[in-house]
Amino acid sequence: MEKILSALEKSGAALYQITETREESAELFFIRRALDMQRQKEIRQAAVTVYREFSEGEDRYLGSAAVQVQDSFTEEQLEQMFRDALYAAGFVKNPYYELYHGTGEPSPQVLEKAKHLSDRSLAEVAGCFADALFAEDTEKDVFLNSAEIFATRTTCHIVNAKGVDVSYCKGRVTGEFVAQCTAGQDVEIYEDFAYDDMDTQALRRKVRDTLEMTRARAQAVTAPPAGEYRVILSGSYVKEIFSYYVMRSDMSMVYPKYSTFRPGCDVQDGEVEKDRINLTLKATVPYSPEGIPMRDRELVKEGELKLLHGGNRFAYYLEQEPTGNYSSYQAPAGQVSLEEMRQAPCLEIVNFSDFQMDSYSGHFGGEIRLAFLYDGEKRIPVTGGSINGSILEAQKNLNFSSETQVDKEFEGPAAVCLTGVKVAGSTEE
């Protein structure tokens, strides 16, 4: 840090931000249940952003350029690198804004949550999640054919030219696995996961559900009939539905007028026949990448937008409080159980090749890998076809399940039911 600060001063870069990180990790790689490889790593690096204030006529700008710094660089190399970055920043015509210079502490709950994994041995954490991963892998015809687990501890130090000087330590577990079924068709399903605490039970449930899904996928051979359906989406796809409201309320969408959301607006645009949207932004780190103290914030209550959120630059333009950037959110459970949702004819889609929500237009869609067709009497596994819909139409009739889930950066209903969704599928009688 001292070497970087000295080189910045000599280069003439008066405005800057330095983010120094140290990441330690314990990594496990499995083939079937056998540990194929394990390793431990420690990576130290620093990202430096140099800012340049300049004017053209009456227009005032603040350009920026970022560089990655390695320990092996000499002070002379750093000085030249920062001079080059300062020159490059003069070509970036962002309207002028001030660097973040606020003070304050993150909420005690966020600080405490960051410690959940950071104060334990990384090898111990990885081992506990490995035990949970394979606890449900007990069948012969459907099994985990490979898996990877990464337990990490990240120490982050953020400094800028306006007086920000904050640090935190954060632990996390991430990973992925592939489930395979060899009965009938030989099929595989990929899943990933991420946890900020020792929620090994959530991983067990995810593995159990994925193994059951993979067995059903091996039995599915036909596409659902084309038509318009009540559609139930579950798992990570529920988060994607909610992501529309999170993205539309981001100041980086509001400032360029891609979004018309404003505090106090009805995000569901009028009369709603079923469930109202409720959302809380969840802080996963004590400080944002700009050093903004983070805390949980209520975003939407009963369909009403409570705030705009985002980083310092767009908050300055919109004259709003900078909240920092959020990737995690929480929603309450609904009033209807999954079993009740399945009583009427519907298509429950549990796995897509790729599911996307367009935060600009509100359109969503994806190709179906596995779904269950309920006709009021039977539950039929199907595969193939695709769905296409608009949240702008569907949001007036959303039903959220009373069952809940803890998924990657999301806590909330396990499923959501949408009506009138078009399905491209089989046209055979």
Side-chain angles (χ1 to χ4, degrees), residues 262-393:
R262 295 293 186 277
C265 77
D266 184 347
V267 300
Q268 289 173 275
D269 197 24
E271 293 296 322
V272 173
E273 296 182 17
K274 294 182 180 176
D275 290 348
R276 278 285 185 178
I277 299 292
N278 290 276
L279 274 172
T280 299
L281 299 173
K282 303 293 288 184
T284 58
V285 290
Y287 295 95
S288 80
E290 297 173 292
I292 301 170
M294 300 291 286
R295 60 182 173 85
D296 295 351
R297 294 174 182 266
E298 186 176 56
L299 180 66
V300 182
K301 184 175 182 180
E302 296 299 316
E304 180 186 347
L305 186 68
K306 293 298 184 180
L307 57 81
L308 300 177
H309 60 96
N312 177 69
R313 177 185 159 203
F314 290 104
Y316 183 90
Y317 296 157
L318 293 170
E319 300 181 345
Q320 300 283 319
E321 175 196 358
T323 66
N325 300 102
Y326 290 83
S327 60
S328 181
Y329 34 100
Q330 181 182 51
Q335 303 297 316
V336 181
S337 71
L338 257 171
E339 200 55 45
E340 291 175 278
M341 289 182 183
R342 294 164 177 159
Q343 295 303 310
C346 64
L347 184 68
E348 181 181 1
I349 307 173
V350 296
N351 192 237
F352 287 93
S353 307
D354 183 30
F355 181 78
Q356 295 185 0
M357 165 64 74
D358 190 320
S359 56
Y360 293 90
S361 67
H363 286 288
F364 59 83
E367 297 179 357
I368 301 168
R369 285 202 70 192
L370 176 65
F372 295 102
L373 183 60
Y374 292 86
D375 61 6
E377 296 180 0
K378 293 180 292 184
R379 176 179 183 259
I380 307 165
V382 292
T383 185
S386 63
I387 71 167
N388 179 37
S390 169
I391 193 64
L392 302 179
E393 298 172 5

Side-chain angles (χ1 to χ4, degrees), residues 41-324:
K41 293 192 308 187
E42 180 178 334
I43 300 173
R44 296 181 60 189
Q45 58 186 0
V48 180
T49 302
V50 172
Y51 301 87
R52 180 173 181 175
E53 182 183 347
F54 61 99
S55 299
E56 290 186 4
E58 297 182 357
D59 296 322
R60 192 179 177 196
Y61 301 103
L62 186 69
S64 63
V67 294
Q68 290 288 331
V69 173
Q70 299 178 19
D71 279 344
S72 59
F73 290 171
T74 66
E75 190 166 326
E76 291 73 22
Q77 288 175 310
L78 290 176
E79 186 181 337
Q80 185 58 51
M81 180 183 290
F82 297 150
R83 280 204 184 96
D84 292 342
L86 192 60
Y87 175 75
F91 295 95
V92 180
K93 295 183 178 181
N94 289 325
Y96 178 79
Y97 62 98
E98 294 180 2
L99 295 190
Y100 180 71
H101 56 273
T103 59
E105 293 290 327
S107 72
Q109 294 86 352
V110 177
L111 285 170
E112 183 61 31
K113 188 172 183 180
K115 297 177 183 177
H116 283 177
L117 293 176
S118 64
D119 57 0
R120 304 182 66 157
S121 157
L122 293 176
E124 176 192 358
V125 171
C128 288
F129 276 89
D131 291 342
L133 184 73
F134 291 105
E136 302 293 332
D137 186 14
T138 59
E139 305 293 331
K140 291 184 177 181
D141 62 330
V142 58
F143 50 85
L144 302 184
N145 74 12
S146 58
E148 299 177 3
I149 297 175
F150 306 91
T152 61
R153 181 187 297 115
T154 302
T155 303
C156 185
H157 184 195
I158 303 167
V159 173
N160 79 7
K162 293 296 184 178
V164 169
D165 188 348
V166 296
S167 301
Y168 67 86
C169 185
K170 168 69 185 294
R172 199 169 207 224
V173 171
T174 60
E176 57 189 45
F177 60 87
V178 177
Q180 182 176 359
C181 182
T182 55
Q185 302 178 78
D186 191 341
V187 299
E188 295 180 344
I189 289 182
Y190 165 90
E191 290 285 351
D192 61 3
F193 56 87
Y195 300 102
D196 293 322
D197 51 30
M198 291 296 293
D199 197 350
T200 55
Q201 291 302 311
L203 180 57
R204 287 189 63 164
R205 288 192 296 272
K206 189 177 189 73
V207 172
R208 182 170 62 247
D209 293 345
T210 303
L211 291 172
E212 293 174 0
M213 186 194 311
T214 308
R215 178 181 280 122
R217 172 64 187 87
Q219 299 168 355
V221 293
T222 60
E228 197 169 273
Y229 286 81
R230 286 177 62 248
V231 166
I232 300 173
L233 302 178
S234 58
S236 62
Y237 310 122
V238 181
K239 181 189 178 185
E240 287 299 314
I241 293 296
F242 280 118
S243 72
Y244 174 79
Y245 305 99
V246 176
M247 291 300 300
R248 298 288 290 185
S249 55
D250 193 304
M251 287 186 262
S252 65
M253 289 278 284
V254 174
Y255 173 71
K257 296 184 171 55
Y258 297 138
S259 170
T260 58
F261 277 16
R262 295 293 186 277
C265 77
D266 184 347
V267 300
Q268 289 173 275
D269 197 24
E271 293 296 322
V272 173
E273 296 182 17
K274 294 182 180 176
D275 290 348
R276 278 285 185 178
I277 299 292
N278 290 276
L279 274 172
T280 299
L281 299 173
K282 303 293 288 184
T284 58
V285 290
Y287 295 95
S288 80
E290 297 173 292
I292 301 170
M294 300 291 286
R295 60 182 173 85
D296 295 351
R297 294 174 182 266
E298 186 176 56
L299 180 66
V300 182
K301 184 175 182 180
E302 296 299 316
E304 180 186 347
L305 186 68
K306 293 298 184 180
L307 57 81
L308 300 177
H309 60 96
N312 177 69
R313 177 185 159 203
F314 290 104
Y316 183 90
Y317 296 157
L318 293 170
E319 300 181 345
Q320 300 283 319
E321 175 196 358
T323 66

